[in-house]
Amino acid sequence: MCGRFAVTLPPDAMAQLFEASPANDLPDVPNYNVCPTVNVHVVTGGASGRRLMPMRWGFIPHWYKSPTDGPLLINARAETVAEKPAFRLACRERRCLILAAGFYEWTRTPEGVRLPWYISRKDGAPMIFAGIWQDWGRDDPRPTCAIVTTAANTDLSGIHERMPMIVEQADWPMWLGEAGRGAARLMHPGKAGLLDWWRVDPAVNSNRAAGAQLIERLVED
């Protein structure tokens, strides 16, 4: 799964990377502790070109009467995203890319203590997650999104059984629907050897924590 991540790339660099038109109300960066329900940086495709825009991280099905009318849907499993009533139409028609520098995951000690890890790309490139999105609300529609997850690859299986689906640059057009059909073939854990990970300070266990120190490698005694 993915329940927390970091984003550091400036918006103008994001727009240049994706050749996308940026919105004026993008979230502030850097943010080393992106939490569910906040706005995140999302790229969409379409006939008018790619757009870089803010979306609420937490997909809201159209039948919810309020954002808290049911479970908080921050992730969508690749194995079932095309079948679940909440996600299936978005999976066919509204796929997106969600930008990150890396994400956090937790393990537990035998005593139940949560130990945070930070996971990023070895090559230092931005980490681009597969996402789905839809507008929610009638009077003032609000775009909302979820991160698609897969089974963990051999890199991360020792930390968690799930991971975000990472989309490589060559596959962006396929996932965004710009290159025709075939996005389903992208829904796999991805090749091993792409990622690096290290323990970080438990301060990130709090959703109020902030600052670049959250992703620094923890030096243990």
Side-chain angles (χ1 to χ4, degrees), residues 153-193:
N153 62 18
T154 54
D155 285 346
L156 297 184
S157 58
I159 297 177
H160 201 274
E161 73 273 10
R162 306 290 299 176
M163 65 180 287
M165 175 183 154
I166 298 170
V167 186
E168 296 296 336
Q169 186 166 359
D171 295 323
W172 294 349
M174 181 66 72
W175 186 253
L176 290 175
E178 301 167 342
R181 297 179 180 273
R185 68 174 177 80
L186 303 177
M187 289 194 277
H188 55 75
K191 63 183 179 181

Side-chain angles (χ1 to χ4, degrees), residues 82-198:
E83 305 166 4
K84 293 287 188 180
F87 301 136
R88 61 191 176 197
L89 187 58
C91 184
R92 289 198 299 269
E93 300 180 359
R94 294 184 298 277
R95 297 188 298 273
C96 61
L97 300 170
I98 299 172
L99 288 88
F103 66 99
Y104 299 95
E105 197 50 81
W106 281 261
T107 55
R108 287 185 181 272
T109 68
E111 297 75 27
V113 178
R114 298 177 74 228
L115 305 177
W117 300 75
Y118 182 69
I119 300 104
S120 64
R121 293 181 62 113
K122 287 182 178 178
D123 60 10
M127 188 177 288
I128 310 304
F129 301 148
I132 56 173
W133 73 277
Q134 78 170 17
D135 285 333
W136 176 83
R138 292 184 179 180
D139 298 331
D140 185 19
R142 181 180 185 183
T144 70
C145 65
I147 295 170
V148 177
T149 66
T150 68
N153 62 18
T154 54
D155 285 346
L156 297 184
S157 58
I159 297 177
H160 201 274
E161 73 273 10
R162 306 290 299 176
M163 65 180 287
M165 175 183 154
I166 298 170
V167 186
E168 296 296 336
Q169 186 166 359
D171 295 323
W172 294 349
M174 181 66 72
W175 186 253
L176 290 175
E178 301 167 342
R181 297 179 180 273
R185 68 174 177 80
L186 303 177
M187 289 194 277
H188 55 75
K191 63 183 179 181
L194 177 70
L195 305 177
D196 194 9
W197 58 96
W198 55 87

Side-chain angles (χ1 to χ4, degrees), residues 31-122:
N31 184 347
Y32 295 92
N33 194 5
V34 179
C35 301
T37 74
V38 305
N39 281 348
V40 296
H41 300 81
V42 175
V43 173
T44 62
S48 59
R50 294 177 181 173
R51 295 184 62 203
L52 173 63
M53 57 188 295
M55 291 191 187
R56 177 192 190 265
W57 182 23
F59 190 98
I60 307 178
H62 66 83
W63 60 81
Y64 277 28
K65 295 179 180 179
S66 75
T68 58
D69 202 31
L72 179 60
L73 304 176
I74 62 171
N75 295 154
R77 295 173 70 95
E79 297 89 340
T80 58
V81 66
E83 305 166 4
K84 293 287 188 180
F87 301 136
R88 61 191 176 197
L89 187 58
C91 184
R92 289 198 299 269
E93 300 180 359
R94 294 184 298 277
R95 297 188 298 273
C96 61
L97 300 170
I98 299 172
L99 288 88
F103 66 99
Y104 299 95
E105 197 50 81
W106 281 261
T107 55
R108 287 185 181 272
T109 68
E111 297 75 27
V113 178
R114 298 177 74 228
L115 305 177
W117 300 75
Y118 182 69
I119 300 104
S120 64
R121 293 181 62 113
K122 287 182 178 178

